[in-house]
Amino acid sequence: MSDQLRPRASLRTAVVWDVLKDALDRRAEATGRSALDVLDTGGGTGNFAVPVARLGHRVTVVDPSPNALFGLERRAAEAGVADQVHGVQGDVLGLFDVVERGGYDAVLCHGVLEYVEDPAEGIRNAVEALRPAGALSLLAAGLGGAVLARALAGHFGEARQALTDPAGRWGDGDPVPRRFTAEQLTGLVTTAGVEVGAVHGVRVFADLVPGVLVDTEPGALEALLKLEAAAAELPAFHSVATQLHVLGEKQG
């Protein structure tokens, strides 16, 4: 089992991982190549990059943090995929200073758009890095999840602030610079030349359930994972998800 799929981590990543793995399998079948070229922008210490490499693919991770890249190198070595994972320092807005255009079968852009100055440019760069019919996996903070979380914590003013703020922030102390609705993300992706294949709500319930319940109640984790998977594709739950995942394919 990969470190990404350990019980606690699985609540945060299981839905995205299942969708991503299926997309990579389909891309490999379509190209006739078992080893794909995958780009992970903002990939950090390799939460997705290392499991993807363990599937047999070649992964390039672009991240601005030298410490994260050092952690990536160590994690890849421990997983036995050091020769399949390559880390370079950079960011999505300066992407083509460090990687080539049109050189990848799949691009991961997870937890990046919240922090860049120009999300539209970030998406355009991610798409330009793709080969024709390549897969884009986009994961970003959802507006509704933050509003719901602040309200349930009793911070009603902050919840209203997030709901009305153009960037979806609940106040000056908010650590997330920007949040999105599903419509905003699909609009950015479509404008950049990607056909949207699926939208998933991520962590619809996981962040609202007391941790002690998941840790101590027999079968609770497995049941919660199944509930997350069942709700992920239902549009009604996208508006309350902590994160939103968009999977698409580059047109042309």
Side-chain angles (χ1 to χ4, degrees):
M1 178 178 291
S2 72
D3 56 354
Q4 184 218 335
L5 297 180
R6 289 180 307 203
R8 266 302 181 190
S10 64
L11 284 173
R12 300 188 297 272
T13 61
V15 168
V16 178
W17 173 249
D18 288 345
V19 173
L20 176 61
K21 184 179 181 300
D22 286 345
L24 293 173
D25 289 346
R26 291 195 303 271
R27 179 65 176 164
E29 183 178 0
T31 62
R33 291 184 283 111
S34 59
L36 301 176
D37 296 303
V38 179
L39 175 65
D40 189 353
T41 64
T45 60
N47 285 344
F48 280 90
V50 169
V52 167
R54 293 182 69 175
L55 295 176
H57 305 304
R58 297 176 292 269
V59 187
T60 298
V61 176
V62 176
D63 196 278
S65 168
N67 289 337
L69 293 174
F70 177 77
L72 168 71
E73 183 178 355
R74 183 175 63 244
R75 176 181 278 187
E78 292 172 350
V81 293
D83 59 339
Q84 295 167 247
V85 178
H86 175 56
V88 291
Q89 189 172 0
D91 60 51
V92 73
L93 296 187
L95 191 59
F96 302 115
D97 294 334
V98 294
V99 303
E100 64 175 311
R101 297 177 188 268
Y104 298 90
D105 297 289
V107 172
L108 282 57
C109 188
H110 295 173
V112 172
L113 291 194
E114 299 94 322
Y115 300 97
V116 298
E117 185 174 341
D118 188 343
E121 182 182 354
I123 286 294
R124 285 196 300 269
N125 286 352
V127 174
E128 286 184 26
L130 283 169
R131 292 168 178 153
L136 174 69
S137 176
L138 171 64
L139 182 68
L143 170 63
V147 173
L148 184 61
R150 300 316 290 174
L152 291 178
H155 303 299
F156 306 121
E158 291 179 350
R160 184 175 181 277
Q161 171 68 19
L163 190 61
T164 57
D165 183 71
R169 290 170 53 82
W170 48 256
D172 293 338
D174 192 336
V176 179
R178 186 182 291 106
R179 294 183 178 87
F180 301 88
T181 64
E183 292 75 18
Q184 288 172 331
L185 288 179
T186 55
L188 286 169
V189 166
T190 301
T191 300
V194 168
E195 181 179 354
V196 175
V199 179
H200 296 87
V202 180
R203 289 156 55 193
V204 175
F205 307 102
D207 292 351
L208 306 177
V209 175
V212 65
L213 173 63
V214 177
D215 292 335
T216 61
E217 187 71 21
L221 175 63
E222 182 180 357
L224 181 54
L225 284 170
K226 290 180 178 179
L227 177 61
E228 289 280 354
E233 292 190 59
L234 300 177
F237 290 98
H238 295 168
S239 59
V240 294
T242 299
Q243 292 178 306
L244 295 164
H245 182 244
V246 178
L247 182 71
E249 181 177 295
K250 183 176 181 177
Q251 298 178 347

